[in-house]
Amino acid sequence: MLVPAAAEARDVPLNSLGTSAGQAQRRADGTILLRPGATVRTDLAVREVHGVTVQLERRDRCSANLQVTARLGDQAASSVIGRTSRTVSFRLTAPAGTTRVSLSLTQLRDKAKDARAKKRRAQAKRRRAQANARGKAKASRRRVRSHRPRRLRPRRKVAVASPCQASLLLRGLSVLERLPLNAAMTTAHFGQDPFYQALFTQNFDGLTPENELKWASTEPQQGQFTFDAGDRIVNWAIANGKSVRGHVLVWDYQNSSYVTDPKDFYLLQHHWKRAELIAVMQEHILNVVAHFRGRIPEWDVVNEAFNDDGSYKNNVWYQVIGPEYIALAFRLAHQADPEAKLFYNDLGYEAGGPHTEAVLNMVRSLREQGVPIDGVGFESHFDISAGSITERMRPVLQAFANLGLAEEITELDVNTGPGGVDKLAAEAELYRQVARACVEQIACQRVTTWGYTDRYSWIGSDRQGLPFDVNYQAKPAWQALQAEARPAV
Ligand code: XIL
């Protein structure tokens, strides 16, 4: 699960937590040492909470696993802490009002240890039975020879290990009260427009590089990687405390021409062999993902693989490799960065229909095959006439959430058609509806708009698709987005 950036979370001061006597011990540095059986709790006054993040440090070297259970209002979720320390996020929601948040710790039975002990007992029993049998046979032979009494061997002493004292240090607890709001950004305007970067940093929690990580930008010639623009935008985001989504590894657009229009040595048309194109894809994914490992925590691995009728897009990957190109891309991305969260991203499947069914079937099958996919991105390039979209998105978001996938709105914009301030209220309502669908669904963890100012919108300034106008003034759409994603507490 993703750890929300600090900007979206509210820290709960540890000294405001009530602790159960005995197993929870406050330390001088403000942290709390928890032993199995410990509970800590507090009451929060909230508008709406989307989750709890806990920083824990394992303090013992016992083999037993510890289970931390977080409760938020009447919801509960647990996580198992092995021998390493970690930050755990619980996706729980609580409605407005006063909500109780609590954490409790239990020690799980060490199944492996139990199994080993059982095996040892069974072996000992077998040995005793064998020894007994041998003893009886010997004794009867002895009885024949003499009637000397048997000397008893002294019993072997068994060392009993003292039980291991498991403990966890609670270093921090925060609640996620806001849904992160990100925007796509591009270096094309960096340094050219004094407002572009400044207003982004004031208003947004993170960014998606709009073009800088696409194939044509990162590997323009086969085997020659160029990361200048990618590094520039990613490092700028990180330096400003903003999160980054990686976009995109495998797609049918913005590829280098050697991928889609390969030529042989004599510059004649080359026809990819399956193994060749797999090798090309492998080299690309491994290099790009490894380059940004530790800086980009989340990638769109495959983009837009389906047509709206639910059939696979007949792109170069599908033609040469077959539908397995999708699973392969995910496995390669995971190989390059096992920590990264991997998403399938698409448009036109947000509100049900054959396209939705096709994506659902595909991701279900990936999960069944054990392919490392963590989430799905709903691009959400809507038109002003999209209508009651919350209602239509609700069952779709639920269906993907039921597969255990994270979700995001990844490229939101609303095309108003050409011009007219009279359309801004309707646009705002659509923004509100999309954000509402995400807020309501616990698996939906972020809203990203595709750009943020109409000055630089891929659908054209006159379509007024974004939450800020061409002069960087916030539009009603921005108020609507904020009201849903960042309710005032
Ligand atoms: C768009 C960019 O915004 C443009 O600058 C570029 O010319 C074309 O691509 N779906 C996606 C995005 O996943 O990558 C696309 O971005 C918009 C549609």
Side-chain angles (χ1 to χ4, degrees):
M1 251 165 248
L2 290 176
V3 180
E8 299 112 36
R10 171 152 68 108
D11 287 337
V12 178
L14 296 186
N15 62 14
S16 72
L17 296 174
T19 56
S20 56
Q23 302 90 339
Q25 181 194 338
R26 290 179 187 284
R27 295 169 17 125
D29 62 359
T31 58
I32 303 177
L33 191 73
L34 306 173
R35 294 201 189 284
T39 305
V40 294
R41 72 190 94 71
T42 192
D43 289 329
L44 297 173
V46 293
R47 260 290 303 268
E48 209 162 19
V49 188
H50 299 287
V52 174
T53 298
V54 189
Q55 280 176 311
L56 296 163
E57 189 183 316
R58 185 82 192 246
R59 294 312 292 253
D60 58 78
R61 315 197 92 225
C62 310
S63 60
N65 283 334
L66 294 173
Q67 177 167 294
V68 179
T69 303
R71 287 196 173 71
L72 192 60
D74 56 5
Q75 292 197 48
S78 296
S79 192
V80 173
I81 317 287
R83 265 184 274 184
T84 47
S85 309
R86 46 189 286 223
T87 300
V88 203
S89 293
F90 299 97
R91 301 286 292 159
L92 298 164
T93 37
T98 305
T99 292
R100 169 152 291 202
V101 50
S102 76
L103 291 178
S104 51
L105 189 67
T106 41
Q107 184 162 337
L108 293 178
R109 285 194 62 178
D110 187 341
K111 285 199 187 129
K113 208 169 159 190
D114 286 356
R116 281 197 301 275
K118 197 170 164 196
K119 200 168 156 197
R120 268 202 304 275
R121 277 199 301 276
Q123 279 169 348
K125 197 171 166 192
R126 226 177 305 127
R127 271 200 298 274
R128 271 200 307 278
Q130 283 165 357
N132 257 344
R134 274 200 303 274
K136 271 186 195 149
K138 238 185 187 171
S140 65
R141 278 201 300 277
R142 244 187 269 131
R143 232 175 284 135
V144 178
R145 279 185 263 136
S146 78
H147 289 283
R148 245 189 306 142
R150 235 177 106 206
R151 207 164 11 111
L152 287 176
R153 230 189 278 157
R155 270 182 180 245
R156 235 192 308 151
K157 276 194 188 144
V158 181
V160 180
S162 60
C164 197
Q165 277 278 333
S167 62
L168 276 180
L169 197 61
L170 176 60
R171 288 198 166 277
L173 172 65
S174 53
V175 293
L176 182 62
E177 286 178 314
R178 311 177 341 163
L179 208 58
L181 284 182
N182 283 22
M185 289 284 279
T186 163
T187 49
H189 318 300
F190 276 28
Q192 310 288 319
D193 173 338
F195 300 108
Y196 181 67
Q197 285 163 274
L199 286 168
F200 167 84
T201 43
Q202 266 176 32
N203 289 298
F204 291 89
D205 299 308
L207 62 80
T208 303
E210 194 170 334
N211 292 308
E212 287 75 358
L213 304 179
K214 291 173 179 173
W215 198 302
S217 308
T218 51
E219 195 184 354
Q221 312 290 333
Q222 189 169 0
Q224 289 175 19
F225 292 89
T226 51
F227 294 120
D228 295 353
D231 283 338
R232 186 173 180 207
I233 194 164
V234 170
N235 292 344
W236 177 76
I238 294 170
N240 284 281
K242 306 296 178 187
S243 62
V244 181
R245 290 196 86 241
H247 175 83
V248 52
L249 298 171
V250 179
W251 192 23
D252 54 341
Y253 285 106
Q254 294 179 282
N255 280 312
S256 304
S257 59
Y258 74 87
V259 174
T260 41
D261 187 18
K263 297 279 188 281
D264 68 12
F265 184 76
Y266 303 101
L267 299 179
L268 298 172
Q269 189 67 41
H270 174 74
H271 297 283
W272 287 120
K273 294 196 179 66
R274 191 170 186 271
E276 282 174 346
L277 194 60
I278 288 178
V280 165
M281 184 164 112
Q282 169 165 336
E283 190 178 16
H284 182 77
I285 295 179
L286 293 184
N287 275 284
V288 175
V289 176
H291 180 80
F292 291 102
R293 191 168 47 211
R295 290 185 290 161
I296 298 191
E298 175 176 333
W299 277 99
D300 285 334
V301 177
V302 174
N303 216 28
E304 304 175 357
F306 292 96
N307 296 308
D308 278 348
D309 66 3
S311 58
Y312 277 101
K313 268 197 195 168
N314 196 22
N315 59 31
V316 64
W317 312 108
Y318 183 83
Q319 281 170 23
V320 179
I321 303 175
E324 308 85 79
Y325 83 88
I326 300 177
L328 201 58
F330 277 91
R331 291 193 199 278
L332 289 166
H334 183 69
Q335 186 185 330
D337 184 357
E339 298 287 311
K341 302 290 173 196
L342 306 179
F343 279 66
Y344 171 75
N345 192 52
D346 205 345
L347 81 165
Y349 79 114
E350 297 86 353
H355 195 154
T356 308
E357 291 307 313
V359 180
L360 254 178
N361 290 336
M362 187 268 293
V363 295
R364 188 181 294 120
S365 143
L366 291 182
R367 284 244 138 172
E368 283 164 8
Q369 296 167 57
V371 174
I373 176 170
D374 300 287
V376 283
F378 296 87
E379 291 185 20
S380 308
H381 293 290
F382 288 119
D383 197 271
I384 201 162
S385 60
S388 333
I389 202 77
T390 313
E391 229 168 79
R392 285 158 45 220
M393 286 179 78
R394 192 178 288 131
V396 175
L397 293 183
Q398 190 57 51
F400 285 92
N402 290 346
L403 296 178
L405 292 161
E407 300 171 330
E408 296 193 22
I409 306 299
T410 50
E411 305 186 12
L412 177 60
D413 53 20
V414 177
N415 191 334
T416 65
V421 284
D422 52 320
K423 296 179 175 162
L424 298 187
E427 177 188 40
E429 172 58 13
L430 215 66
Y431 263 92
R432 193 194 66 73
Q433 293 233 3
V434 176
R436 185 73 227 156
C438 187
V439 166
E440 275 182 9
Q441 171 53 251
I442 194 63
C444 189
Q445 55 194 20
R446 188 187 345 245
V447 175
T448 300
T449 54
W450 204 243
Y452 78 98
T453 162
D454 288 337
R455 181 176 286 254
Y456 310 118
S457 164
W458 79 297
I459 56 171
S461 300
D462 63 332
R463 305 288 142 146
Q464 307 178 102
L466 292 167
F468 289 79
D469 71 13
V470 289
N471 297 314
Y472 291 104
Q473 299 302 307
K475 293 159 64 181
W478 180 240
Q479 325 300 348
L481 254 190
Q482 295 228 90
E484 288 298 335
R486 300 169 169 171
V489 177

